[in-house]
Amino acid sequence: MVNIFFRIIFSFLLVMLLLLLLMNDKVALGQDGDPVGSTQGGGGREMVPALFIFGDSLIDNGNNNNLPSFAKANYYPYGINFNGGPTGRFSNGYTSELLGLPLIPAYSEASGAQVLHGVNYASAAAGILDITGRNFVGRIPFDQQIRNFQNTLDQVTDNLGASDVSNAIARCIFFVGMGSNDYLNNYLMPNYNTKNQYNAQQYADLLVSEYSRQLTTLYNLGARKFVLAGLGRMGCIPRILAQYQMDRCSEEVNQLVMPFNANVKTMINNLNANLPGARFTFIDIARMFEDLLTNYRSYGFSVIDRGCCGIGRNGGQITCLPFQTPCANREQYVFWDAFHPTEAVNIMFGRKAFYGDQSVVYPMNIQQLASL
């Protein structure tokens, strides 16, 4: 499951947005008289009408379950749904108790009024580039995720009217966590020729050019409030430590993705300046993660170099298998499996992204964005 790699960090952001954006109040396409909405779930005023999620593995809460794909997590111990079955979520954390609301449904399962709270379009193994992740066969690249959002938008518009939907969509949060697979399941894979075609900067330029086009498409569909997750320190996850047989992070891998993060920051500044009404926020996951690994004991963690559920060196040679028993003290682990952070890390990063200053979330935090 090499695909799962470092969406590690975007995933925390799904937890982040669903945890904090909703925990503080509620994410749904409207309550309190909003024409697009529902009163199901927890109480409290809405900060935004709804949350729409785009991304890859950990953020995927079931969209790959029915695909002919090797990139799935619809087995224990990755999650349990309300009916006692596996969720398909690449995470050990389940945040509904913190939210006071229904979880945002997967696009593959959402129907009727469910979509009024928002929809999760994420797909494990997905990338900015359509070719990314082909080793895992079935996946839903970002361009197709956007087309799926347009299908949802058409459905809601038919029922509620274009004017009302347009006004509501402009106030919704659009979370996007893309790019890690374009490195881990494309550039760094031996069966891809990408590394021979582009150096690190050239590849980052290609990715961010495509990314800008895709985000502009979402803008043209009515999105205005965007949260983009940067790429984290991929060289520090158990899988890389095991693969490179290292006792500390691989700076080669960490440095590889730095041009992408720099380009995304520049892109955000350009989009904020050139798209009227657009508000793009960047989550600096690399900075958050570096701080965590440097000061992990002060945050209450004791294990930073192996997964709580995994096999082999660093618990990272083979990721968590079906029905494998995870560690008993997962709250002390930074990593849940070979690729993903534990729920404790997700919540900590989520709070920083929601309330943090410009050193970790730029140019404004999630709370500020939601309040606009």
Side-chain angles (χ1 to χ4, degrees):
M1 275 196 192
V2 177
N3 132 334
I4 316 172
F5 231 170
F6 211 71
R7 24 262 86 169
I8 174 179
I9 307 274
F10 320 144
S11 51
F12 83 56
L13 281 178
L14 168 56
V15 177
M16 162 198 80
L17 283 176
L18 288 176
L19 165 95
L20 285 248
L21 190 54
L22 294 180
M23 180 176 116
N24 255 291
D25 289 299
K26 175 178 178 179
V27 173
L29 248 175
Q31 192 182 18
D32 301 330
D34 197 318
V36 189
S38 170
T39 58
Q40 293 181 344
R45 72 175 181 84
E46 300 168 349
M47 295 189 72
V48 297
L51 173 62
F52 295 97
I53 301 159
F54 304 82
D56 46 34
S57 77
L58 203 155
I59 312 175
D60 176 359
N61 63 341
N63 286 312
N64 279 20
N65 285 358
N66 296 320
L67 295 181
S69 175
F70 296 110
K72 301 182 184 183
N74 54 345
Y75 56 84
Y76 300 96
Y78 276 99
I80 303 172
N81 65 23
F82 293 118
N83 296 318
T87 63
R89 178 173 283 110
F90 282 90
S91 172
N92 66 312
Y94 210 63
T95 63
S96 60
E97 293 181 4
L98 297 174
L99 307 181
L101 287 174
L103 289 175
I104 303 302
Y107 174 75
S108 63
E109 301 170 354
S111 62
Q114 286 182 311
V115 305
L116 302 182
H117 295 284
V119 178
N120 184 335
Y121 303 93
S123 169
I128 293 170
L129 304 179
D130 285 356
I131 196 173
T132 289
R134 67 185 178 193
N135 288 359
F136 297 88
V137 192
R139 76 273 186 208
I140 308 169
F142 190 25
D143 277 320
Q144 183 60 53
Q145 292 181 34
I146 294 171
R147 288 191 288 270
N148 290 345
F149 167 71
Q150 186 163 13
N151 292 338
T152 299
L153 194 60
D154 291 343
Q155 174 189 343
V156 175
T157 300
D158 288 344
N159 293 331
L160 297 165
S163 178
D164 288 341
V165 170
S166 177
N167 290 334
I169 291 295
R171 293 184 287 116
C172 296
I173 293 286
F174 286 72
F175 169 73
V176 186
M178 299 297 299
S180 65
N181 278 316
D182 294 290
Y183 287 92
L184 300 166
N185 291 295
N186 186 327
Y187 194 85
L188 291 173
M189 295 295 288
N191 61 325
Y192 279 80
N193 195 41
T194 311
K195 193 172 184 178
N196 298 322
Q197 295 176 306
Y198 306 96
N199 63 32
Q201 185 61 58
Q202 291 169 339
Y203 191 55
D205 292 345
L206 170 67
L207 290 178
V208 175
S209 175
E210 283 296 290
Y211 205 16
S212 180
R213 173 188 62 79
Q214 292 161 333
L215 294 168
T216 300
T217 299
L218 280 175
Y219 172 86
N220 290 334
L221 291 171
R224 293 296 181 269
K225 296 182 179 183
F226 295 83
V227 177
L228 307 185
L231 300 186
R233 294 181 64 79
M234 297 182 186
C236 300
I237 67 175
R239 173 64 180 184
I240 287 293
L241 298 181
Q243 181 177 340
Y244 286 75
Q245 297 187 3
M246 302 181 71
D247 295 323
R248 57 186 177 181
C249 302
S250 167
E251 286 307 311
E252 177 185 356
V253 175
N254 285 337
Q255 291 295 320
L256 174 64
V257 302
M258 286 185 65
F260 177 87
N261 283 338
N263 283 13
V264 170
K265 291 178 183 179
T266 300
M267 176 193 72
I268 282 177
N269 290 333
N270 291 336
L271 293 176
N272 280 334
N274 296 320
L275 297 180
R279 302 281 188 169
F280 284 82
T281 285
F282 175 77
I283 309 300
D284 195 340
I285 297 166
R287 182 182 290 266
M288 289 184 185
F289 206 74
E290 184 173 5
D291 172 61
L292 170 61
L293 293 181
T294 301
N295 303 297
Y296 65 96
R297 292 194 183 278
S298 67
Y299 289 114
F301 298 98
S302 60
V303 184
I304 65 171
D305 59 353
R306 64 180 299 105
C308 173
C309 189
I311 295 175
R313 181 184 174 96
N314 302 97
Q317 288 180 292
I318 300 175
T319 197
C320 195
L321 296 176
F323 300 100
Q324 182 178 346
T325 301
C327 66
N329 56 336
R330 68 187 67 184
E331 70 282 353
Q332 296 179 24
Y333 279 66
V334 167
F335 293 101
W336 160 247
D337 59 14
F339 310 100
H340 302 90
T342 56
E343 185 176 39
V345 174
N346 290 339
I347 292 172
M348 184 186 80
F349 281 4
R351 291 188 179 279
K352 288 188 174 186
F354 196 82
Y355 297 114
D357 60 28
Q358 290 191 0
S359 68
V360 293
V361 53
Y362 170 86
M364 68 187 74
N365 61 37
I366 305 301
Q367 185 182 49
Q368 293 165 337
L369 179 65
S371 298
L372 294 177

